[in-house]
Amino acid sequence: MGKRNVRFIVVMLVCVLLSGMPSALASSVKPDANGAYHPTIYINGEKQDLTGTIPPSGSTLVPFRAFFTALDVEPQFDNSTKTLTAKSGDITITLTAGTKIAALNGKKVTLLQSPVIDEGVIYVNLRFIAESFGGIVKFDQDTLTIYINFPIAESIN
């Protein structure tokens, strides 16, 4: 088989694989009109009443106050700078709406998705926050379910 035929076959295989590739999420779960998915979220085995959203970027965003309440952490929000700071034990995180740079104990961390403000609510990256406070995050793509478990089940404080 000549180089031209091999190249053609490789290109065709790539096209077939890409066109038949399942979406980033399970095919049985459909996105909303904006292309976002809405996962079910569990923390330490308890189903949470959180309106999580997975936009096309793939990062799960949750309303910051509801999420921090579920984690038993009291966040501070500076409306003038759109900056959120949360502290639990010896962990401090700082996030600013519209920027992908966060701080974890003063060290810069680049996020996949910046916090966003939508209709007056700031949405933050679930995985970054949960893992920063010691949580283990697992995502079940088939059921669109996120499980967050903390080593100490009572609270992260």
Side-chain angles (χ1 to χ4, degrees):
M1 191 179 298
K3 285 184 184 180
R4 187 173 184 186
N5 288 341
V6 170
R7 193 174 306 138
F8 176 76
I9 290 171
V10 169
V11 169
M12 292 306 294
L13 279 172
V14 168
C15 290
V16 167
L17 287 173
L18 289 177
S19 67
M21 186 180 291
S23 68
L25 301 168
S27 61
S28 63
V29 179
K30 303 296 180 205
D32 66 15
N34 297 318
Y37 294 83
H38 301 282
T40 302
I41 301 168
Y42 287 83
I43 299 175
N44 293 328
E46 288 187 36
K47 185 176 179 183
Q48 302 296 308
D49 187 27
L50 289 169
T51 54
T53 300
I54 304 174
S57 70
S59 295
T60 302
L61 300 176
V62 289
F64 90 94
R65 287 221 186 265
F67 189 49
F68 282 108
T69 297
L71 298 178
D72 198 23
V73 172
E74 182 61 37
Q76 302 298 317
F77 185 68
D78 182 338
N79 196 38
S80 65
T81 62
K82 307 298 184 216
T83 300
L84 156 64
T85 303
K87 182 174 173 68
S88 179
D90 60 351
I91 305 293
T92 301
I93 61 171
T94 304
L95 302 146
T96 302
T99 181
K100 290 184 178 182
I101 303 299
L104 173 59
N105 288 340
K107 294 181 183 175
K108 289 183 181 180
V109 177
T110 301
L111 304 172
L112 294 175
Q113 167 76 50
S114 65
V116 297
I117 298 176
D118 184 37
E119 296 183 15
V121 177
I122 186 167
Y123 290 83
V124 294
N125 185 296
L126 175 142
R127 183 176 293 274
F128 170 73
I129 293 167
E131 289 179 349
S132 293
F133 288 123
I136 298 166
V137 179
K138 295 193 178 184
F139 177 57
D140 184 329
Q141 205 169 297
D142 294 332
T143 62
L144 201 61
T145 304
I146 297 170
Y147 300 94
I148 306 169
N149 290 298
F150 291 91
I152 301 171
E154 306 87 52
S155 167
I156 62 172
N157 277 332

